[in-house]
Amino acid sequence: MKKARNEINMTEGPILGKMLAFAFPLMFSGLLQLLFNAADIVVVGKFAGDLCLAAVGSNGPLVHLIVTLFIGLSVGTNVIVAKYIGAKKYKEVEETVHTSMALALVSGVGLTILGMIVSGPLLVMMQTPEKVLPLATTYLRIYFVSMPAMMVYNFGAAILRANGDTRRPLIFLTISGIVNVVLNLYFVIVLKIDVRGVGWATAISQYVSAVLIFVSLVREKSSIRLVLKDIRICSEKAVSIIKIGVPAGIQGMMFSISNILIQSSINSFGDVAMAGNSAAGNIEGFIFTGINAFSQAGMSFTSQNVGAGKNERIRPIMTRTMLTTTAAGIIFGGGVYLFGETLLSFYTNTPETIAYGMIRVTYVCLPYLLDGWMDAVSALTRGLGFSLPPMIITMVGVCLFRVLWLSTVFQIPKFHTLECIYLSYTTSWIITTVAEVICYIVIMKKHFKVETKQNV
């Protein structure tokens, strides 16, 4: 089947140039999404005050926990669709696409219902301060209205990425992001509805991106075309997606669970510390996105080549993934550290809040390359078709370790500081990365015969 101009042939020719062509639009998509989402925090922080900033920003770990499992299913979609495309099994591609969109719609509606029920109780469990709680609950419940749209967009983007197309998701996010920013400014500055305003602006923009990606799949001419009457769950394809996606989602949830525990510990330092952490955490998201684009490229390239039976290309894909991840980690992590105070000043005018934010920038953002390595090796392992081992390693190396850290080291009076909390990130990254590398090597030796041929 002839490749469309938006697609990249991952199974033939030089690897590095094609990986960069794949990763850069994906990176810019993620950065734009974060930039537009940051508009929520920037607008509310600048025009509604630090209390509203804390209410919106402190929801991040909780939102991530609830939606990560289902977003993980889109990882399964990416791997399975890419594998079938590499193997040129186009009927299986079509069945996987339609199953994926059915799963997106079902999980989106389910998340909306779940979010409405658990938002308040979970925020209370996170020790959200009483004066922040009503605003945080309002924002979170409005946010969950957008879950069907978020699921459709993420599954649709995963399908396009599996086919080598990262350009259209970039265009769609640009459009929806502009909508988000305009509505943020209008709702907060003009209508004066602060937290509710940024919530509704986010929800509306999510539906814009979902409609755009849905229509693009309906109009697609290749094997990933979406036919409305064919949207249904094929049990065989659903199982394949779940086998890869659920462990990936649970792996993400492990991060979220540990982050919620960390957020609860940070909350104990008061609303100013919460606001500084929220701002720095939002900036941190830009670093992760910039680095993670190369991990996602490595996963997609690995999946297509496994499907095509071109195992000799797996090792070159791995080396290029790690090299590009390293470069991105140095550039993004170092850049945020150097310009940390300036970046934080976009979120708040309060010097004390900026000072708290710089603590997180120093201890988490600067060494973020370690997280990049951990995520890259995990993504490459999933690309090989093995999603359970990285999940188990993350559960122990990240979640369990951070829980133990907070319950032991952090409880020592002289270590009962924000710096100690943030050190749990870097320490867990080192431990987990070592374990992930060992896992990847074992799987490669046991399941794949890989030649050392280099494809530049």
Side-chain angles (χ1 to χ4, degrees):
M1 186 172 289
K2 185 178 179 180
K3 290 278 183 184
R5 65 184 182 87
N6 288 318
E7 301 170 20
I8 296 173
N9 187 338
M10 305 181 194
T11 61
E12 297 176 356
I15 293 172
L16 182 59
K18 291 185 176 183
M19 285 188 72
L20 293 176
F22 181 98
F24 280 129
L26 182 59
M27 179 195 300
F28 292 136
S29 295
L31 292 175
L32 274 175
Q33 188 171 35
L34 284 172
L35 184 62
F36 293 134
N37 288 345
D40 292 358
I41 295 180
V42 172
V43 171
V44 81
K46 286 287 188 179
F47 299 101
D50 284 349
L51 191 63
C52 290
L53 171 61
V56 174
S58 62
N59 275 304
L62 183 55
V63 170
H64 197 258
L65 169 67
I66 297 175
V67 306
T68 294
L69 176 61
F70 297 94
I71 295 294
L73 291 177
S74 70
V75 175
T77 291
N78 183 287
V79 171
I80 301 303
V81 172
K83 183 177 178 180
Y84 284 139
I85 289 174
K88 295 181 170 57
K89 296 180 178 180
Y90 298 117
K91 179 175 175 53
E92 282 77 6
V93 172
E94 293 169 3
E95 291 180 351
T96 306
V97 166
H98 290 92
T99 297
S100 296
M101 294 312 295
L103 289 173
L105 293 168
V106 171
S107 60
V109 173
L111 273 172
T112 296
I113 297 171
L114 177 65
M116 293 296 179
I117 296 172
V118 304
S119 294
L122 286 178
L123 286 169
V124 172
M125 289 174 58
M126 288 176 63
Q127 302 179 45
T128 303
E130 187 174 345
K131 61 182 177 179
V132 177
L133 183 59
L135 292 172
T137 303
T138 296
Y139 176 81
L140 193 56
R141 285 178 174 161
I142 294 173
Y143 190 91
F144 275 107
V145 173
S146 68
M147 286 301 103
M150 180 183 288
M151 293 301 112
V152 168
Y153 174 80
N154 279 280
F155 276 77
I159 292 167
L160 291 176
R161 288 198 302 270
N163 205 33
D165 180 5
T166 55
R167 292 175 58 192
R168 280 183 288 179
L170 172 59
I171 296 170
F172 302 152
L173 277 177
T174 301
I175 296 171
S176 66
I178 292 172
V179 171
N180 186 29
V181 171
V182 171
L183 290 178
N184 269 324
L185 296 172
Y186 178 69
F187 288 152
V188 175
I189 299 175
V190 179
L191 298 185
K192 307 292 185 183
I193 53 175
D194 49 69
V195 169
R196 287 181 295 119
V198 295
W200 283 116
T202 298
I204 293 169
S205 64
Q206 292 277 14
Y207 277 96
V208 170
S209 62
V211 169
L212 289 171
I213 209 158
F214 193 87
V215 170
S216 72
L217 287 172
V218 170
R219 294 180 175 178
E220 179 66 39
K221 302 300 181 183
S222 69
S223 59
I224 63 170
R225 181 186 178 192
L226 184 67
V227 180
L228 297 182
K229 65 181 180 63
D230 292 337
I231 296 177
R232 63 176 63 89
I233 295 178
C234 170
S235 58
E236 179 186 351
K237 299 303 181 293
V239 169
S240 297
I241 292 170
I242 289 170
K243 281 183 178 179
I244 299 293
V246 168
I250 293 175
Q251 180 174 339
M253 289 178 69
M254 294 303 103
F255 285 100
S256 297
I257 291 171
S258 64
N259 287 341
I260 285 176
L261 293 173
I262 288 172
Q263 181 68 54
S264 297
S265 299
I266 292 169
N267 290 353
S268 67
F269 287 87
D271 58 282
V272 179
M274 287 175 64
N277 179 74
S278 296
N282 194 268
I283 294 172
E284 181 187 318
F286 287 90
I287 305 175
F288 171 79
T289 300
I291 299 174
N292 186 253
F294 299 100
S295 299
Q296 296 302 310
M299 183 180 73
S300 294
F301 273 68
T302 299
S303 298
Q304 274 210 18
N305 282 276
V306 168
K310 297 187 176 182
N311 293 339
E312 72 279 0
R313 291 171 63 87
I314 294 176
R315 183 170 292 159
I317 290 170
M318 181 271 291
T319 57
R320 282 145 185 80
T321 300
M322 298 308 294
L323 285 172
T324 51
T325 297
T326 299
I330 293 172
I331 293 169
F332 283 94
V336 165
Y337 177 73
L338 290 175
F339 301 100
E341 291 187 359
T342 301
L343 293 170
L344 288 166
S345 68
F346 284 103
Y347 294 82
T348 178
N349 298 316
T350 308
E352 189 179 0
T353 303
I354 293 174
Y356 273 116
M358 279 304 298
I359 298 175
R360 184 175 183 117
V361 167
T362 302
Y363 284 87
V364 180
C365 296
L366 180 59
Y368 213 84
L369 169 61
L370 298 171
D371 178 81
W373 286 341
M374 179 184 69
D375 287 337
V377 181
S378 178
L380 290 166
T381 304
R382 283 196 296 271
L384 295 173
F386 295 83
S387 196
L388 187 60
M391 182 204 78
I392 295 173
I393 292 171
T394 299
M395 186 182 298
V396 176
V398 173
C399 187
L400 180 59
F401 175 83
R402 291 179 186 175
V403 170
L404 290 174
W405 181 281
L406 292 174
S407 61
T408 55
V409 178
F410 180 61
Q411 299 306 315
I412 300 173
K414 69 176 182 179
F415 294 140
H416 200 79
T417 63
L418 284 173
E419 289 85 349
C420 181
I421 293 175
Y422 295 139
L423 277 173
S424 67
Y425 284 91
T426 50
T427 308
S428 65
W429 290 338
I430 294 170
I431 294 171
T432 308
T433 298
V434 172
E436 294 281 12
V437 169
I438 294 172
C439 173
Y440 181 83
I441 292 172
V442 170
I443 288 175
M444 288 286 288
K445 287 183 176 180
K446 190 172 182 179
H447 297 278
F448 297 90
K449 182 179 179 181
V450 181
E451 299 176 6
T452 58
K453 178 181 177 182
Q454 297 292 303
N455 297 274
V456 178

